[in-house]
Structure formats: C-alpha cells, structure tokens
Amino acid sequence: MNSRIENFPVSFFSMVMGLSGYAIALQKAEGILMKPHSLSTVVLYFAVLVFLILLLGYSIKTFRYLNEVKKEFNNPIRLSFFPTISISLLLLSIGFLEVNMVVSKYLWSLGTVLHFVATVVILSKWVRQDKFEIQHFNPAWFIPIVGNILVPIAGTKHFAADLSWFFFSIGIVFWIVLFTIFLYRIIFHKALPEKLLPTFFILIAPPAVGFISYVKLNGMVDSFSRILYYFALFLVVFLIAQFKMFYKIKFYLSWWAYSFPIASATIATALMYAQTKESMYLPIFFALLTLLTLFILILLGNTLKAIGNGDICVKEE
C-alpha cells in the first residue's frame, strides 16, 4: 500500500476534469431536451467524490513522501499536470452553477486563486530553468494555460467582469505562443513517446474553452468567437482522422486527456446552438456527446481494470 501511495501520480486528477466536463455536457443535453438535471447531477457528484478521494491520496503522498512530490514537480513533463487540481475545482464550480450557486462560488474562488498561483509558479519555472529541452515539450504544457481560460465561465456569475478578462487574456495569448512552439516541436523533432500521444487531444481544449469564455464575456457570437469554435471543431475532426495512431496505444492515465477536450468541444457546440439557434449544430452536439460518452465508459472501465491489476501507481521511468 505504501508503495502505491509513493507512486500516486498527480496526473490522476485529469480524471476529475473528464468527469466534470462530461457532467456539464450532460447538463447542456438535458437543457436542450428540456429534461431535469438528474443524470448530470449524479455524474457531477461522482466527480466530486473522485476528486476528494484523489485529493486525500495525494495529500497522504505529500505528507509521507514529500521528496517524491518534489521529483514530480521538477519533472518537465509531469510538472504541467499539477494545475489539474485547480482546474478540477474550476470545472466543478461550472457544474454547480446549475445545482448550487453558493457551492459554485466557493469552488470558483478557491480554484481561481490556486490556479493563478500555479500559473505564476510554473511560468517562473519555465523561464528560470536551464534543463528543459524542446523534446520535453508536449501538449500537456497547455494545461496551465487552459485553466486561465476557464475562469470566466463561472467568473462572470461570481465577480466583476474585468477579473475574468484578466484571466482570459493570459490564457489566450499564451495559447497562441505555445501552439506555435508545439507545431515546431512536432514537425521538426522526434515524435512524442507512445505514453504522451493521447495528450494530442489537449489541443482541442484552448480554442473550445476560449470560445465559451469569450461568448460569456462578450455576450454574443461574433467573428472572433467563430474562429475559435471552428478551429476547435477542425481539431476534433483532424484528431479523429488520426485514429490509427491512437487505437493501438496501451492504456495509461494519459488516456484521460481524450475526455475533457472532447467535452469542451461538445459544450462549445451546445453554446453555439443556444446563441445562433441554427439546427445544424444539434447533430454535431449529439454526435460529440455520444463520442464523449463512449470515451468516458472506456476510460472508466480501463482505469478500474488497471487499478485491479495493479498497473497504476507503480514506479515509472
């Protein structure tokens, strides 16, 4: 048991991101179908339960094996997964907008503060380090940035709009910069290792979440928001077309990188429909929701199987 806790990975929190995103997508489906928020609330509370279990596990690891946490934090690949904790809080706050505004506000406040601290700390580490190399760069580096773009979604309900614009500006500018670096990395250098291939799907999240946040801030769909939405939709199609590259990959926790980006594109499509009332977005929404549901079921099944077989929380290179 101790060895399991010692090797408990911070990337486990990406599971909460996927489940929270799925709960929000179900809320949108229930709204479109004019059904009560029953199934989505069950999934939302399940995401809360998973978050609390993971938080307890990682807290025990921090207390007992602080050096292992420090090693994880100094790893150029695993470093980017630490903000999944604050992002989980932000996503849960969005989910609770439809359930309990008070809970949502507390989750948003805590998540926003933690994510701002994480952003400053990680950016400082990127700038000051002398060990990172271009091959260390992978789509997981977008995770700290995506969290900033998430803040306005619930932030517009809980605080002054200028604070949400502050976080949106950080996220959208750094997304453009990091996306440029990613294209250079993936085209002119060695391919990503198999374990990190699922993180390609993280590329969908910044423009999809950016679209949602921008519409919440701007109050309407305009030309810039359409660019964000359609670029996210293109990335969904492009990555699905790379099916052969993904389907033979052995299961890793990084598989959960499939879920939240697909959820963000699904939610963005629901918002596009709500804003434009164009019926063409409905089949896109339900197709994405079906795909997301399939992913979540596969991921849950494989995660439980891996836990049962003792393939998770083991020493890794």
Side-chain angles (χ1 to χ4, degrees), residues 9-46:
V10 70
S11 57
F12 229 144
F13 285 92
S14 59
M15 184 177 180
V16 183
M17 292 174 58
L19 291 171
S20 301
Y22 184 49
I24 299 166
L26 286 175
Q27 287 177 351
K28 302 306 177 187
E30 290 164 344
I32 291 172
L33 298 173
M34 293 182 288
K35 301 290 185 181
H37 292 315
S38 51
L39 179 59
S40 62
T41 301
V42 171
V43 175
L44 181 63
Y45 279 108
F46 178 62

Side-chain angles (χ1 to χ4, degrees), residues 193-269:
E194 179 186 81
K195 185 175 181 178
L196 292 176
L197 286 179
T199 63
F200 267 98
F201 276 75
I202 294 174
L203 298 175
I204 298 168
V209 175
F211 164 78
I212 299 168
S213 289
Y214 183 76
V215 172
K216 294 292 183 182
L217 287 165
N218 210 36
M220 60 179 290
V221 171
D222 60 13
S223 298
F224 178 64
S225 60
R226 289 178 188 273
I227 290 171
L228 291 173
Y229 172 75
Y230 286 118
F231 185 61
L233 195 60
F234 165 75
L235 289 174
V236 172
V237 175
F238 174 75
L239 290 172
I240 290 175
Q242 313 307 312
F243 174 76
K244 290 184 178 179
M245 183 172 71
F246 299 110
Y247 85 102
K248 290 183 178 179
I249 301 174
K250 176 186 173 183
F251 177 75
Y252 301 101
L253 279 180
S254 58
W255 271 35
W256 279 95
Y258 290 131
S259 57
F260 172 66
I262 296 294
S264 63
T266 305
I267 298 164
T269 303

Side-chain angles (χ1 to χ4, degrees), residues 19-285:
L19 291 171
S20 301
Y22 184 49
I24 299 166
L26 286 175
Q27 287 177 351
K28 302 306 177 187
E30 290 164 344
I32 291 172
L33 298 173
M34 293 182 288
K35 301 290 185 181
H37 292 315
S38 51
L39 179 59
S40 62
T41 301
V42 171
V43 175
L44 181 63
Y45 279 108
F46 178 62
V48 172
L49 177 62
V50 172
F51 176 77
L52 293 175
I53 292 172
L54 296 181
L55 186 63
L56 175 62
Y58 206 78
S59 297
I60 295 173
K61 175 180 176 177
T62 303
F63 180 74
R64 291 185 179 178
Y65 305 102
L66 183 58
N67 286 335
E68 290 299 317
V69 174
K70 290 179 179 178
K71 287 180 184 178
E72 205 167 15
F73 188 74
N74 289 320
N75 185 293
I77 294 175
R78 297 175 188 173
L79 170 66
S80 296
F81 285 95
F82 277 86
T84 56
I85 300 173
S86 54
I87 290 175
S88 295
L89 290 169
L90 290 169
L91 285 169
L92 290 173
S93 76
I94 296 168
F96 272 97
L97 283 174
E98 302 286 343
V99 179
N100 188 312
M101 286 291 288
V102 175
V103 172
S104 174
K105 186 172 184 178
Y106 280 115
L107 290 170
W108 176 84
S109 300
L110 181 58
T112 298
V113 171
L114 288 178
H115 196 78
F116 180 71
V117 172
T119 300
V120 172
V121 170
I122 291 175
L123 284 176
S124 298
K125 197 168 182 64
W126 287 351
V127 170
R128 295 175 183 175
Q129 60 74 37
D130 58 0
K131 297 180 181 179
F132 291 172
E133 298 179 7
I134 189 65
Q135 63 265 28
H136 293 145
F137 188 90
N138 64 84
W141 284 43
F142 286 87
I143 293 175
I145 302 307
V146 171
N148 289 285
I149 307 176
L150 275 168
V151 169
I153 299 177
T156 52
K157 302 289 187 181
H158 298 314
F159 207 80
D162 279 350
L163 181 66
S164 291
W165 276 111
F166 171 76
F167 281 96
F168 178 81
S169 302
I170 296 170
I172 210 71
V173 171
F174 273 104
W175 165 57
I176 296 170
V177 173
L178 290 177
F179 189 72
T180 304
I181 297 172
F182 168 76
L183 289 178
Y184 168 74
R185 156 73 176 91
I186 207 66
I187 294 173
F188 297 107
H189 291 269
K190 291 182 180 179
L192 291 178
E194 179 186 81
K195 185 175 181 178
L196 292 176
L197 286 179
T199 63
F200 267 98
F201 276 75
I202 294 174
L203 298 175
I204 298 168
V209 175
F211 164 78
I212 299 168
S213 289
Y214 183 76
V215 172
K216 294 292 183 182
L217 287 165
N218 210 36
M220 60 179 290
V221 171
D222 60 13
S223 298
F224 178 64
S225 60
R226 289 178 188 273
I227 290 171
L228 291 173
Y229 172 75
Y230 286 118
F231 185 61
L233 195 60
F234 165 75
L235 289 174
V236 172
V237 175
F238 174 75
L239 290 172
I240 290 175
Q242 313 307 312
F243 174 76
K244 290 184 178 179
M245 183 172 71
F246 299 110
Y247 85 102
K248 290 183 178 179
I249 301 174
K250 176 186 173 183
F251 177 75
Y252 301 101
L253 279 180
S254 58
W255 271 35
W256 279 95
Y258 290 131
S259 57
F260 172 66
I262 296 294
S264 63
T266 305
I267 298 164
T269 303
L271 180 58
M272 181 66 93
Y273 170 71
Q275 289 287 319
T276 65
K277 301 303 180 184
E278 292 285 347
S279 59
M280 70 175 187
Y281 294 111
L282 281 179
I284 299 174
F285 169 75

